């Protein structure tokens, strides 16, 4: 971690974290042994060089740096958060290690379209939630480039849109903070091989850093190979402690197969089996970001950034058919809910059930998303005293524009005995989509932190957001170049809101403090939600959109409070840091995806369903006992619906004749565990040999599609990971790790579907599909650094 710069006249100044054109991330410093630790501001807009002591932050912050990631041998940042951060869990919805469905406090950051995204993710100064659905492609963030990672809880408005449950802020490395060179390779189970190369340096004024990371594996599931290539480089300039500039460039090219959930009856026979395949996602991204800061004088700093990001996504999904024999003519195909209306191909001909080489019982759904976004931010920080009290005022604003071209097609296909698909060359034009979406957001924000007394600090903040979403249905042709229906997806939507926040912190003594805050944040409906919001015209995600009625923006109102402290030399304990806190967040006009059917419940529409609530607590402990560094985290989350509504769930066995279930206030939101417990540590056996382990417990969850909680939960589970490292000399080290050492069979995710619609599963009666957890795996590797 690099040195913090604090001008001498500002030794008592504090900086409140700003994002989205104003929020530095927050990382715990390691050199405050007898008082509350200092929080290092990480320059997310960037406000490099100034910091806020931990006991002045009115919300919970969890942090890690590159040394933590290296020590735990995490595959990526999501793997680390899942094993170490309180309240963070991974759902194996896609079942690819680089496509995790991350949840924190019951809010989601996932690559899956259709999930309500409630976490904002920043890489340096840029929010990297995708333009189309606010999704997060974790495979585009190379773990080796990360210098610091911070998870900030609560609906803090300064982090901009989507910060309903919190924000994840990442700072990348540069040649001043991370000089040196290294090569790391490891491999093992399921033919996984990972190679990482890093190099950095500086001459005092100019610095460079670059890293290359390549991942390749066959996967533990059948027919599930994946590979990813990531390149990150930074060119940096420093003019003493006055001016800094960083030009960062990311390139990623990934090809991932995540064959998703399988019927629970199939999981009981063969956990590595797949239902239908392939489910392939390819991403190619270019990302350029220029950020800088300059001290005008001892009490005034300006900072800003400008960026451009382009991500092209191509998806190919082999699925079971949504068509069946027509009642009027069993030799041709009809929609299941319109059995007398034959479907037609791109040439206007009815599509036969049998193409001569087998029944057409599958679909090949293709989609492309060409996403561009660009923007800038600018802020000024003032550190003048107010009423002879320490005070810090920050004023800023930002602009973000994005454009997406989305094209999709649906090709009638035949399922093989292995349930992969073979295309027929016959497309269904009505399922084809070609739309353009333009999104513009601009914001103004202000925050002021005033020391009312030597121990009591008050922070007041507000942010105004304006978002415009345009939908332009281009019609004409689909992704395969075939004629589709006339345009009907045009729309123009504006969303405005001022989100406030207030927080108080009180230093009870040097090593003990308390905090409390109230904050609001909002999420504008995304283009994918606005384009698929009509119950009478459901869509198939992510392949087609059929309607454009308005949705209300989601507003989160959050209360948070707690205590934290740090002690030394208590009995055998050399160091003990602790934190306990509680939170209460209400989402007004929450948006969910209501399924109307489909083999894997991917047909449906988005809808405002009223209020939802997340109430919980977090407990964190970590310490040092001689040669043992350890941690323990526990979290409790009760996530419930607060308003009654009728939910579409055609595959729920408890649904009525119209495919609906009745959700009542107090019913739990599916997919969110009430209890998670994590404990782990590393022990220095000798100065050269260290051994580590961590344990994760997660309570069971309700299945998506069972919002009324009538079908019970999945089972609780526990997994244990082991690791070890031996330092041969200053340059060379070797390491090994074993994941899920006891080979626990577990399911972290579930939904409802129609397994008997796919050949070979005609006798399957259980509608439950599950995301199966990975079995035991082992890896060995070596690292050279100089």
């Amino acid at each position: 971690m690099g040195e913090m710069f604090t001008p001498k006249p500002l030794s008592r100044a504090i900086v409140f974290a700003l994002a989205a054109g104003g929020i530095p991330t927050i990382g715990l410093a390691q050199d405050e042994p007898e008082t509350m630790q200092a929080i290092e501001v990480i320059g997310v807009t960037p406000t490099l060089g100034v910091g806020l002591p931990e006991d002045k932050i009115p919300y919970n912050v969890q942090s890690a740096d590159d040394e933590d990631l290296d020590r735990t041998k995490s595959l990526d940042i999501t793997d680390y958060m899942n094993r170490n951060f309180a309240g963070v869990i991974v759902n194996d919805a896609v079942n690819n290690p680089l496509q995790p469905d991350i949840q924190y406090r019951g809010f989601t950051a996932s690559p899956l379209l259709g999930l309500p995204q409630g976490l904002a993710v920043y890489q340096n100064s840029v929010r990297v939630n995708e333009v189309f659905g606010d999704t997060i492609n974790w495979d585009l963030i190379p773990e080796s480039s990360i210098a610091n990672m911070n998870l900030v809880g609560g609906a803090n408005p300064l982090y901009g849109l989507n910060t309903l449950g919190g924000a994840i802020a990442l700072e990348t490395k540069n040649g001043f903070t991370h000089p040196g060179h290294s090569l790391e390779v490891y491999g093992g189970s399921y033919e996984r091989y990972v190679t990482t190369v890093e190099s950095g340096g500086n001459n005092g004024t100019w610095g460079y850093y670059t890293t290359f990371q390549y991942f390749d594996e066959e996967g533990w599931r059948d027919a599930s190979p994946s590979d990813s290539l990531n390149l990150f480089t930074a060119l940096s300039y420093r003019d003493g402690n006055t001016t800094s500039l960083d030009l960062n460039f990311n390139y990623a090219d990934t090809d991932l197969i995540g064959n998703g959930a399988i019927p629970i009856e199939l999981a009981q026979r063969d956990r590595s089996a797949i239902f239908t395949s392939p489910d392939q996602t390819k991403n190619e991204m270019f990302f350029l970001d220029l950020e800088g800061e300059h001290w005008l004088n001892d009490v005034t700093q300006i900072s800003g950034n400008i960026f451009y990001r382009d991500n092209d996504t191509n998806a190919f999904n082999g699925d079971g058919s949504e068509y069946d024999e027509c009642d009027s003519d069993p030799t041709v195909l009809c929609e299941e809910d319109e059995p007398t209306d034959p479907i037609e191909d791109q040439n206007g001909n009815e599509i036969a059930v049998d193409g001569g080489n087998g029944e057409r019982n599958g679909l090949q759904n293709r989609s492309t998303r060409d996403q561009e976004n660009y923007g800038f931010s600018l802020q000024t920080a003032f550190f003048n005293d107010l009423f002879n009290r320490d005070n810090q005022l920050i004023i800023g604003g930002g602009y973000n524009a994005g454009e997406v071209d989305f094209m999709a097609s649906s090709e009638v296909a035949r399922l093989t005995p292995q349930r992969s698909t073979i295309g027929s060359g016959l497309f269904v034009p009505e399922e084809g989509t070609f739309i353009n979406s333009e999104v513009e957001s601009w914001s103004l924000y202000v925050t002021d932190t005033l020391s009312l007394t030597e121990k009591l600090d008050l922070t007041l903040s507000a942010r105004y957001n304006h978002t415009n979403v345009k939908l332009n249905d281009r019609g004409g042709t689909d992704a395969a170049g075939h004629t589709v229906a006339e345009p009907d997806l045009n729309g123009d939507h504006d969303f405005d809101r001022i989100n406030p926040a207030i927080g108080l912190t009180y230093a009870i003594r040097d090593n003990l403090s308390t905090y409390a805050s109230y904050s609001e944040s909002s999420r504008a409906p995304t283009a994918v939600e606005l384009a698929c919001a009509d119950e009478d015209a459901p869509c198939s995600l992510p392949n087609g959109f059929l309607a454009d009625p308005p949705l209300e923006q989601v507003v989160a109102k959050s209360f948070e409070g707690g205590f934290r402290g740090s002690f030394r030399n208590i009995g055998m304990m050399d160091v003990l840091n602790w934190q306990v806190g509680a939170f209460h967040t209400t989402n007004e006009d929450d948006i969910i995806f209501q399924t109307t059917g489909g083999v894997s419940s991917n047909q449906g529409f988005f809808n405002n369903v009223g209020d939802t609530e997340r109430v919980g607590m977090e407990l964190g402990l970590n310490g040092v006992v001689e040669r043992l560094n350890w941690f323990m985290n526990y979290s409790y989350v009760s996530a419930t619906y607060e308003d009654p509504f009728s939910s579409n769930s055609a595959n729920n066995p408890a649904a009525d004749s119209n495919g609906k279930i009745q959700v009542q206030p107090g019913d739990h939101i599916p997919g969110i565990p009430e209890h998670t417990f994590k404990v782990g540590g590393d022990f220095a056996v000798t100065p050269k040999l260290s051994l580590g382990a961590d344990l994760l417990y997660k309570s069971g969850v309700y299945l998506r599609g069972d919002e009324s909680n009538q079908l019970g939960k999945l089972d609780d589970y526990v997994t244990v990971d082991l690791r070890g490292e031996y330092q041969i000399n200053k340059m060379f080290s070797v390491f090994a790790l074993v994941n899920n050492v006891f080979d626990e069979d577990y399911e972290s995710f579930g939904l409802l579907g129609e397994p008997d619609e796919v050949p070979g599963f005609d006798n399957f009666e259980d509608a439950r599909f599950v995301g199966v957890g990975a079995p035991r795996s082992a890896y060995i590797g070596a690292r050279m650094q100089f």
Side-chain angles (χ1 to χ4, degrees), residues 586-590 609-613 640-643:
T586 299
N587 275 13
E588 298 181 349
D589 295 317
D590 214 350
V609 296
D611 294 355
T612 61
E613 182 179 80
T640 57
Y641 299 103
E642 295 303 297
D643 291 318

Side-chain angles (χ1 to χ4, degrees), residues 337-357:
D337 56 354
E338 296 181 6
T340 61
D341 187 10
I343 62 172
E344 296 181 347
D345 63 21
Q346 67 270 24
N347 300 312
N349 300 318
E350 296 179 353
I351 300 178
V353 170
D354 194 311
N357 56 357

Side-chain angles (χ1 to χ4, degrees), residues 589-594 607-612 641-647:
D589 295 317
D590 214 350
I591 298 173
I592 69 168
F593 181 73
Q594 295 205 42
N607 189 28
N608 291 112
V609 296
D611 294 355
T612 61
Y641 299 103
E642 295 303 297
D643 291 318
F645 65 96
S646 179
S647 176

Side-chain angles (χ1 to χ4, degrees), residues 86-116:
V88 176
I89 58 99
V90 166
N91 287 328
D92 293 300
V94 179
N95 226 252
N96 184 293
L98 297 183
Q99 293 176 295
D101 175 13
I102 287 288
Q103 288 191 354
Y104 172 60
R105 293 186 177 181
F107 295 90
T108 300
S110 171
L112 290 176
L113 286 174
L115 295 183

Side-chain angles (χ1 to χ4, degrees), residues 43-228:
V44 168
T45 19
T47 44
L48 267 170
V50 287
L52 178 65
E54 183 184 10
D55 60 359
K56 298 181 184 293
I57 298 176
Y59 41 79
N60 187 26
V61 181
Q62 300 180 74
S63 303
D65 60 22
D66 59 304
E67 293 182 359
D68 297 318
L69 296 172
D70 288 341
R71 184 180 65 256
T72 57
K73 306 304 176 189
S74 302
L75 175 62
D76 65 358
I77 58 174
T78 64
D79 182 31
Y80 181 89
M81 289 189 291
N82 182 50
R83 291 157 55 183
N84 293 271
F85 280 180
V88 176
I89 58 99
V90 166
N91 287 328
D92 293 300
V94 179
N95 226 252
N96 184 293
L98 297 183
Q99 293 176 295
D101 175 13
I102 287 288
Q103 288 191 354
Y104 172 60
R105 293 186 177 181
F107 295 90
T108 300
S110 171
L112 290 176
L113 286 174
L115 295 183
Q117 307 288 337
L119 300 174
V121 181
Y122 287 85
Q123 182 175 334
N124 294 325
S125 51
V126 180
R127 180 175 174 269
V128 293
N129 296 70
E130 298 290 355
V131 177
F132 198 42
D134 281 337
T135 56
I136 294 295
N137 288 305
W138 300 106
D139 54 307
L140 307 182
I141 304 174
E143 177 267 342
S144 58
S145 70
I146 302 304
N148 293 278
M149 172 174 60
N150 306 276
L151 173 59
V152 185
N156 191 325
L158 296 177
Y159 280 88
L161 296 174
N162 254 75
T163 313
L164 306 183
I168 300 169
L170 309 171
E171 180 201 20
T172 55
K173 301 174 182 177
N174 62 62
F176 292 91
T177 60
H178 291 79
H181 319 280
S182 68
L183 168 66
E184 179 180 285
V185 294
Y186 74 86
S189 297
Y190 316 114
E191 299 184 46
R192 176 182 294 181
Y193 301 100
V194 181
T195 300
T196 304
V197 180
E198 295 183 76
S199 180
N202 70 86
N203 64 4
T205 301
W206 293 94
Y208 81 94
Y209 172 83
T210 189
T211 181
F212 169 88
Q213 193 168 49
Y214 182 72
F215 167 95
D216 182 78
E217 72 166 16
E218 287 302 304
W220 71 273
R221 298 280 300 279
D222 294 342
S224 298
S226 293
D227 64 83
S228 71

